[in-house]
Amino acid sequence: MISRKTAAAASVLLGNAALSACNDPAPARTAAPETAPPENSLQIETDRALTGNEVSTSVGVRILTADKRVAVLAGHIEAGLALYRAGAPDLAAAQLNHAVSLETQSERDGFGAFGFDSSVYETVHAAATAGTPAEDVEDALIAAKANLAETLEATGLEQLDLVLFLLELCGDEYGVGVIDAAIDRAPAYQAAYGYAAAARDVARNMEGADDLVLELELLVRMWPGDGPVMVDAVAPEPAMGTQIARARLAASIL
């Protein structure tokens, strides 16, 4: 039988332990258990051809309207163009493949209504695949960049909404691509840069958005100067998340 003295001592120890737990810093967060994703971010099996309005991303297959799917593709195109100019045509071709591949053709359904010209991306993709120096196809690179901007504008998405969506995609891809300040999945790391660059370019055409443009420029500069090239160490995930949050804040006050 437990004595009153022993029981009292145990009670004191338990009280001290509870008080210590309240005062101690919060424990490090661990990955939350998977829950059902929202409808517009539905993850589905990928061992089949995608159907209408489905687009594959690093965080799963999402169901999006054509205008939002243009934004998803924009990150890959921006990344591909930057990598090509940085002297990595093989990596550029892999990103640009999203704009030309038959396997991703369904993801581009409806893009013709926005003036999307697949031929300009096919030209750049073919040159990158062949290892042609970027300076030899500068006109094609400029044409691809111009068609992307025109296509994004033609979607009719509000510029602010587009910037916020691109920031969402940027955060998703970086979170998948980088672990402990090191590149874990290069395609996602590269695409994240593309979304940051696309958001900055959209913001540059917005009135009264100087603060937003500044924050987005700082976001883009968190990658190496040449773009999403392969390096041993990159910006830590928390730092990237903080800068994305700063850009969101700047957008929220417009």
Side-chain angles (χ1 to χ4, degrees):
M1 181 174 181
I2 300 175
S3 68
R4 291 183 178 180
K5 184 177 180 179
T6 301
S11 178
V12 171
L13 288 173
L14 288 172
N16 288 340
L19 181 60
S20 175
C22 291
N23 292 331
D24 286 343
R29 292 184 178 178
T30 56
E34 290 189 14
T35 57
E39 181 179 354
N40 72 339
S41 185
L42 185 62
Q43 295 188 22
I44 60 175
E45 65 273 17
T46 57
D47 57 349
R48 61 167 176 77
L50 299 183
T51 59
N53 292 335
E54 294 178 346
V55 59
S56 180
T57 73
S58 293
V59 295
V61 174
R62 298 184 64 172
I63 300 175
L64 299 168
T65 53
D67 50 2
K68 292 287 186 70
R69 283 186 278 114
V70 170
V72 172
L73 180 58
H76 296 294
I77 293 174
E78 289 279 7
L81 297 178
L83 286 165
Y84 200 169
R85 286 198 166 97
D90 53 338
L91 299 180
Q95 287 291 337
L96 292 168
N97 198 51
H98 290 268
V100 301
S101 173
L102 291 177
E103 294 179 357
T104 59
Q105 186 171 7
S106 67
E107 300 181 20
R108 303 188 299 273
D109 284 349
F111 287 12
F114 307 131
F116 181 80
D117 185 356
S118 60
S119 66
V120 300
Y121 307 104
E122 290 167 358
T123 298
V124 177
H125 180 266
T129 301
T132 306
E135 55 268 25
D136 291 351
V137 290
E138 182 61 24
D139 289 346
L141 295 176
I142 293 173
K145 180 84 171 181
N147 182 252
L148 177 60
E150 293 166 359
T151 302
L152 281 170
E153 183 177 2
T155 63
L157 285 169
E158 291 291 335
Q159 290 176 314
L160 184 58
D161 291 340
L162 177 56
V163 167
L164 290 172
F165 184 58
L166 290 168
L167 285 172
E168 174 192 335
L169 294 169
C170 177
D172 286 348
E173 296 291 327
Y174 202 83
V176 169
V178 174
I179 296 179
D180 295 332
I183 300 171
D184 184 63
R185 292 179 61 183
Y189 156 78
Q190 295 158 3
Y193 170 89
Y195 293 122
R200 177 200 58 191
D201 291 349
V202 171
R204 283 174 172 170
N205 293 319
M206 296 171 60
E207 293 185 7
D210 291 348
D211 289 345
L212 175 59
V213 172
L214 174 60
E215 296 298 347
L216 290 171
E217 184 63 42
L218 292 174
L219 178 62
V220 171
R221 294 188 183 190
M222 294 186 76
W223 279 265
D226 290 339
V229 295
M230 300 301 292
V231 291
D232 291 334
V234 296
E237 306 92 301
M240 186 64 69
T242 296
Q243 187 54 40
I244 290 175
R246 288 178 60 90
R248 287 182 179 277
L249 178 60
S252 71
I253 61 178
L254 289 178

